Amino acid sequence: MSDDDLFTSERLSAAQSAMADAGLDALLVVPGPDLRYLTGYHALPLERLTCLVLPVSGPGTLIVPRLERPAAEASPAVNLGLQFVDYPDGVDPFPLVTDALKDFAAPSLGLSNQMWAEKVLGLQAVLPKATFGLANQVLTQLRIRKTPAEIAALRRAGQAIDEVHKRMGEWLRPGRTEDEVAADIAQAIREVGHATVEFTIVGSGPNGASPHHESSSRVINDGDIVVVDIGGAMPDGYGSDCTRMYVLGPTVPDEFRAGYEVLRKAHMAAIEAVRPGISAQDLDAVARDVLTEAGYGELFLHRTGHGIGLQGHEDPYIVAGNELILEAGMTFSIEPGVYWKDRFGARIEDIVVCTENGAERFNTLPTELVHL
Ligand code: ZN
Ligand code: ZN
């Protein structure tokens, strides 16, 4: 399957019909996951303005700096019927946005969520009669439901990161620093097909008790329990994210072993509870209740999961308070954790897709503690 199956004009037309429902006249989308989602164009956010102007009907306009035009034209965006407009350095690009919106006297606009403030203010200055909201009021509902091509892309990413976990014994050894191990993991993440490394968490011993510890100069000791949470983005932009637990040696403290077995039950209970119709908060509660009933509720410091796609963290968030009803095609992590302050931590994480028949796991390695 190629990028052509992923980045089709169906996304633009779906966005346009969602805009019509929401009463938006146009979306203004700058480089970032929204632009990549809509066009396949992976542009870096720069001081120069790149902006997709997508009106509620008719073709969109992609405004790019002249020096970026070859890159834009080499992307899937070139096949989507967009009008390309470029401008040289030294020319103010904001009036080009006004030109693309000339059919609207006082447009209602949706801006991509991660637009820099300097771009927002520049647009407000040239569009004094416009009203501004966020593009995610229409894009979230599209991005949250993955197509079969997107699901296949995320499945490939999951299989790739599993290959890295399988090789952990090559790198994770006493006497090495977390940073050294993380550097080896990063190289392997690329070797198995990722284009970018998004994070390489190697939390050994007490560092494992901090959920988002990355890596450090700490030397890994015999007997250490190690949290390894790693992920990247494949060349098509779709990401991986998987956590497994390792211990350097044959034994672990009884206290850890007991907690870890409960954690495995919580993780599996949540995976088995995934189905269309359950709410995100109820799914969070499935994992949380298992841990709470066994006395570990206070040590589970974070939500159960997050969506994943072109962004490592996106909707749906599997968290208390989120009443969103899960549907087939939604992809997210299931990653309960237990953190014993200043001692050690444990987390198990798989990416899953909600299907009509329950969860399909993209990460399929066993969840038992791996002794190295
Ligand atoms: Zn993770
Ligand atoms: Zn995650």
Side-chain angles (χ1 to χ4, degrees), residues 25-231:
D25 293 315
L27 296 183
L28 304 182
V29 182
V30 294
D34 287 336
L35 184 65
R36 197 169 192 182
Y37 177 80
L38 289 170
T39 69
Y41 180 30
H42 180 40
L44 291 176
L46 296 171
E47 73 287 4
R48 297 181 176 100
L49 180 73
T50 292
C51 186
L52 169 68
V53 181
L54 183 66
V56 66
S57 62
T61 302
L62 186 59
I63 299 164
V64 294
R66 188 159 292 166
L67 80 169
E68 300 291 335
R69 184 165 182 147
E73 288 182 336
S75 80
V78 79
N79 300 318
L80 304 179
L82 299 170
Q83 192 182 344
F84 282 59
V85 173
D86 66 44
Y87 64 92
D89 279 350
V91 167
D92 177 8
F94 288 99
L96 299 173
V97 178
T98 321
D99 290 348
L101 291 169
K102 61 182 181 308
D103 292 344
F104 304 98
S108 173
L109 303 173
L111 306 184
S112 48
N113 286 43
Q114 297 181 346
M115 187 182 286
W116 293 353
E118 64 183 34
K119 303 293 191 301
V120 177
L121 295 178
L123 291 167
Q124 287 178 331
V126 296
L127 294 160
K129 292 185 178 154
T131 53
F132 295 87
L134 291 174
N136 74 348
Q137 59 184 301
V138 295
L139 294 181
T140 297
Q141 58 181 297
L142 304 181
R143 287 180 49 186
I144 200 171
R145 294 181 190 85
K146 270 63 178 178
T147 62
E150 289 183 286
I151 291 166
L154 287 161
R155 188 184 292 118
R156 286 193 295 272
Q159 288 166 348
I161 207 72
D162 280 2
E163 292 304 311
V164 179
H165 271 295
K166 280 185 198 165
R167 293 176 53 193
M168 204 55 60
E170 295 177 32
W171 317 301
L172 190 51
R173 291 193 300 275
R176 305 195 75 207
T177 66
E178 292 175 353
D179 287 336
E180 287 168 342
V181 175
D184 288 339
I185 292 170
Q187 186 179 337
I189 288 175
R190 290 195 180 86
E191 283 170 10
V192 297
H194 294 81
T196 59
V197 178
E198 298 296 322
F199 48 90
T200 51
I201 295 176
V202 180
S204 65
N207 289 341
S210 168
H212 271 176
H213 170 81
E214 276 270 335
S215 64
S216 74
S217 58
R218 183 180 185 276
V219 176
I220 297 163
N221 296 310
D222 233 349
D224 273 357
I225 294 158
V226 188
V227 180
V228 178
D229 183 355
I230 53 179

Side-chain angles (χ1 to χ4, degrees), residues 199 212 229 241-243 305-306 312-313 333 335 347 349 351:
F199 48 90
H212 271 176
D229 183 355
D241 185 358
C242 180
T243 311
H306 55 82
H313 289 183
S333 69
E335 52 176 309
R347 182 164 65 256
E349 176 177 24
I351 303 301

